[in-house]
Short mmCIF file of all heavy atoms in Angstrom, two decimals:
data_model
loop_
_atom_site.label_atom_id
_atom_site.label_comp_id
_atom_site.label_asym_id
_atom_site.label_seq_id
_atom_site.Cartn_x
_atom_site.Cartn_y
_atom_site.Cartn_z
N ALA M 45 2.71 21.18 13.42
CA ALA M 45 1.92 20.68 12.29
C ALA M 45 2.36 19.27 11.92
O ALA M 45 1.52 18.41 11.60
CB ALA M 45 2.09 21.62 11.09
N ALA M 46 3.65 19.01 11.95
CA ALA M 46 4.15 17.67 11.62
C ALA M 46 3.61 16.64 12.60
O ALA M 46 3.20 15.54 12.21
CB ALA M 46 5.67 17.67 11.63
N ALA M 47 3.58 16.99 13.88
CA ALA M 47 3.06 16.07 14.89
C ALA M 47 1.58 15.77 14.65
O ALA M 47 1.13 14.62 14.75
CB ALA M 47 3.27 16.64 16.29
N LEU M 48 0.81 16.79 14.31
CA LEU M 48 -0.62 16.61 14.04
C LEU M 48 -0.83 15.75 12.79
O LEU M 48 -1.73 14.91 12.75
CB LEU M 48 -1.30 17.95 13.87
CG LEU M 48 -1.40 18.81 15.14
CD1 LEU M 48 -1.93 20.20 14.79
CD2 LEU M 48 -2.31 18.14 16.17
N ALA M 49 0.00 15.95 11.76
CA ALA M 49 -0.11 15.15 10.55
C ALA M 49 0.20 13.68 10.84
O ALA M 49 -0.47 12.78 10.31
CB ALA M 49 0.81 15.70 9.47
N GLU M 50 1.19 13.44 11.67
CA GLU M 50 1.51 12.06 12.05
C GLU M 50 0.35 11.43 12.82
O GLU M 50 -0.01 10.27 12.59
CB GLU M 50 2.78 12.02 12.88
CG GLU M 50 4.05 12.23 12.08
CD GLU M 50 5.30 11.97 12.90
OE1 GLU M 50 5.35 12.38 14.08
OE2 GLU M 50 6.21 11.34 12.37
N LEU M 51 -0.23 12.19 13.74
CA LEU M 51 -1.35 11.67 14.52
C LEU M 51 -2.55 11.34 13.62
O LEU M 51 -3.33 10.43 13.91
CB LEU M 51 -1.76 12.68 15.60
CG LEU M 51 -0.82 12.80 16.80
CD1 LEU M 51 -1.21 13.98 17.67
CD2 LEU M 51 -0.82 11.52 17.62
N ALA M 52 -2.68 12.08 12.52
CA ALA M 52 -3.77 11.83 11.57
C ALA M 52 -3.51 10.61 10.70
O ALA M 52 -4.41 10.17 9.99
CB ALA M 52 -3.99 13.06 10.70
N GLY M 53 -2.28 10.08 10.74
CA GLY M 53 -2.01 8.83 10.04
C GLY M 53 -1.02 8.87 8.90
O GLY M 53 -0.76 7.85 8.27
N CYS M 54 -0.44 10.04 8.60
CA CYS M 54 0.54 10.06 7.51
C CYS M 54 1.77 9.27 7.90
O CYS M 54 2.06 9.08 9.09
CB CYS M 54 0.90 11.49 7.11
SG CYS M 54 2.09 12.32 8.18
N GLN M 55 2.50 8.81 6.90
CA GLN M 55 3.65 7.94 7.16
C GLN M 55 5.00 8.65 7.03
O GLN M 55 6.04 8.02 7.10
CB GLN M 55 3.61 6.74 6.21
CG GLN M 55 2.46 5.79 6.48
CD GLN M 55 1.20 6.11 5.70
OE1 GLN M 55 1.18 7.02 4.87
NE2 GLN M 55 0.14 5.37 5.96
N GLY M 56 4.97 9.97 6.81
CA GLY M 56 6.23 10.69 6.70
C GLY M 56 5.99 12.19 6.67
O GLY M 56 4.89 12.66 6.38
N ILE M 57 7.05 12.92 6.99
CA ILE M 57 7.03 14.38 6.97
C ILE M 57 8.15 14.87 6.05
O ILE M 57 9.28 14.35 6.10
CB ILE M 57 7.24 14.97 8.38
CG1 ILE M 57 6.11 14.53 9.31
CG2 ILE M 57 7.34 16.49 8.33
CD1 ILE M 57 4.72 15.02 8.92
N ILE M 58 7.83 15.86 5.23
CA ILE M 58 8.79 16.44 4.30
C ILE M 58 8.97 17.91 4.60
O ILE M 58 8.01 18.63 4.86
CB ILE M 58 8.30 16.30 2.84
CG1 ILE M 58 8.01 14.84 2.49
CG2 ILE M 58 9.31 16.88 1.86
CD1 ILE M 58 7.24 14.67 1.20
N VAL M 59 10.22 18.36 4.55
CA VAL M 59 10.52 19.80 4.59
C VAL M 59 11.62 20.08 3.58
O VAL M 59 12.47 19.24 3.31
CB VAL M 59 10.97 20.28 5.98
CG1 VAL M 59 9.80 20.29 6.96
CG2 VAL M 59 12.12 19.45 6.53
N HIS M 60 11.56 21.27 2.99
CA HIS M 60 12.57 21.71 2.02
C HIS M 60 13.36 22.85 2.64
O HIS M 60 12.83 23.94 2.84
CB HIS M 60 11.87 22.16 0.74
CG HIS M 60 12.81 22.56 -0.35
ND1 HIS M 60 12.39 22.89 -1.62
CD2 HIS M 60 14.17 22.71 -0.39
CE1 HIS M 60 13.42 23.21 -2.38
NE2 HIS M 60 14.52 23.12 -1.64
N LEU M 61 14.60 22.58 2.98
CA LEU M 61 15.48 23.62 3.51
C LEU M 61 16.15 24.31 2.33
O LEU M 61 17.10 23.79 1.74
CB LEU M 61 16.53 23.01 4.45
CG LEU M 61 17.42 24.02 5.17
CD1 LEU M 61 16.60 24.89 6.13
CD2 LEU M 61 18.54 23.31 5.93
N ARG M 62 15.62 25.47 1.97
CA ARG M 62 16.15 26.21 0.83
C ARG M 62 17.35 27.05 1.21
O ARG M 62 17.52 27.46 2.35
CB ARG M 62 15.06 27.12 0.25
CG ARG M 62 14.02 26.40 -0.60
CD ARG M 62 13.00 27.39 -1.13
NE ARG M 62 12.12 26.77 -2.12
CZ ARG M 62 12.32 26.81 -3.43
NH1 ARG M 62 13.37 27.45 -3.91
NH2 ARG M 62 11.49 26.23 -4.27
N GLU M 63 18.15 27.34 0.19
CA GLU M 63 19.32 28.19 0.38
C GLU M 63 18.93 29.54 0.97
O GLU M 63 19.62 30.07 1.84
CB GLU M 63 20.04 28.40 -0.95
CG GLU M 63 21.27 29.30 -0.85
CD GLU M 63 21.81 29.67 -2.23
OE1 GLU M 63 21.16 29.36 -3.24
OE2 GLU M 63 22.88 30.29 -2.27
N ASP M 64 17.81 30.12 0.51
CA ASP M 64 17.40 31.44 0.99
C ASP M 64 16.58 31.39 2.28
O ASP M 64 16.17 32.43 2.79
CB ASP M 64 16.64 32.20 -0.09
CG ASP M 64 15.35 31.51 -0.53
OD1 ASP M 64 14.92 30.54 0.14
OD2 ASP M 64 14.77 31.94 -1.55
N ARG M 65 16.31 30.17 2.78
CA ARG M 65 15.56 29.99 4.04
C ARG M 65 14.23 30.74 4.01
O ARG M 65 13.81 31.34 5.00
CB ARG M 65 16.39 30.43 5.25
CG ARG M 65 17.76 29.80 5.40
CD ARG M 65 17.75 28.28 5.45
NE ARG M 65 18.98 27.74 6.01
CZ ARG M 65 20.05 27.42 5.30
NH1 ARG M 65 20.05 27.61 3.97
NH2 ARG M 65 21.12 26.92 5.89
N ARG M 66 13.53 30.67 2.89
CA ARG M 66 12.29 31.44 2.74
C ARG M 66 11.16 30.92 3.62
O ARG M 66 10.23 31.65 3.92
CB ARG M 66 11.84 31.46 1.28
CG ARG M 66 11.38 30.13 0.75
CD ARG M 66 10.81 30.24 -0.65
NE ARG M 66 11.80 30.68 -1.62
CZ ARG M 66 11.58 30.70 -2.94
NH1 ARG M 66 10.40 30.32 -3.40
NH2 ARG M 66 12.52 31.08 -3.77
N HIS M 67 11.22 29.64 3.99
CA HIS M 67 10.18 29.12 4.89
C HIS M 67 10.79 28.25 5.99
O HIS M 67 10.91 28.70 7.12
CB HIS M 67 9.06 28.41 4.13
CG HIS M 67 9.47 27.56 2.96
ND1 HIS M 67 10.39 26.55 3.03
CD2 HIS M 67 9.03 27.58 1.67
CE1 HIS M 67 10.52 25.97 1.86
NE2 HIS M 67 9.71 26.58 1.00
N ILE M 68 11.19 27.05 5.70
CA ILE M 68 11.78 26.18 6.70
C ILE M 68 13.15 26.73 7.12
O ILE M 68 13.96 27.14 6.28
CB ILE M 68 11.91 24.75 6.16
CG1 ILE M 68 10.52 24.13 5.95
CG2 ILE M 68 12.75 23.88 7.10
CD1 ILE M 68 9.70 23.96 7.21
N GLN M 69 13.39 26.72 8.44
CA GLN M 69 14.65 27.19 9.01
C GLN M 69 15.46 26.01 9.55
O GLN M 69 14.92 24.91 9.77
CB GLN M 69 14.37 28.18 10.14
CG GLN M 69 13.48 29.36 9.73
CD GLN M 69 14.09 30.22 8.65
OE1 GLN M 69 15.18 30.74 8.83
NE2 GLN M 69 13.39 30.36 7.52
N ASP M 70 16.74 26.24 9.79
CA ASP M 70 17.61 25.17 10.30
C ASP M 70 17.05 24.61 11.60
O ASP M 70 17.08 23.39 11.83
CB ASP M 70 19.02 25.72 10.51
CG ASP M 70 19.68 26.13 9.21
OD1 ASP M 70 19.22 27.12 8.61
OD2 ASP M 70 20.65 25.49 8.80
N ARG M 71 16.54 25.48 12.44
CA ARG M 71 15.97 25.06 13.73
C ARG M 71 14.85 24.05 13.52
O ARG M 71 14.73 23.07 14.26
CB ARG M 71 15.47 26.27 14.50
CG ARG M 71 14.54 25.96 15.68
CD ARG M 71 13.05 26.01 15.28
NE ARG M 71 12.18 25.70 16.41
CZ ARG M 71 10.90 25.38 16.28
NH1 ARG M 71 10.34 25.36 15.08
NH2 ARG M 71 10.18 25.13 17.35
#
Side-chain angles (χ1 to χ4, degrees):
L48 291 172
E50 285 189 318
L51 286 171
C54 80
Q55 292 91 5
I57 298 296
I58 303 167
V59 289
H60 183 174
L61 186 65
R62 283 180 170 266
E63 179 190 7
D64 61 11
R65 306 303 198 270
R66 68 174 64 172
H67 39 55
I68 293 297
Q69 305 298 303
D70 295 68
R71 165 267 179 196

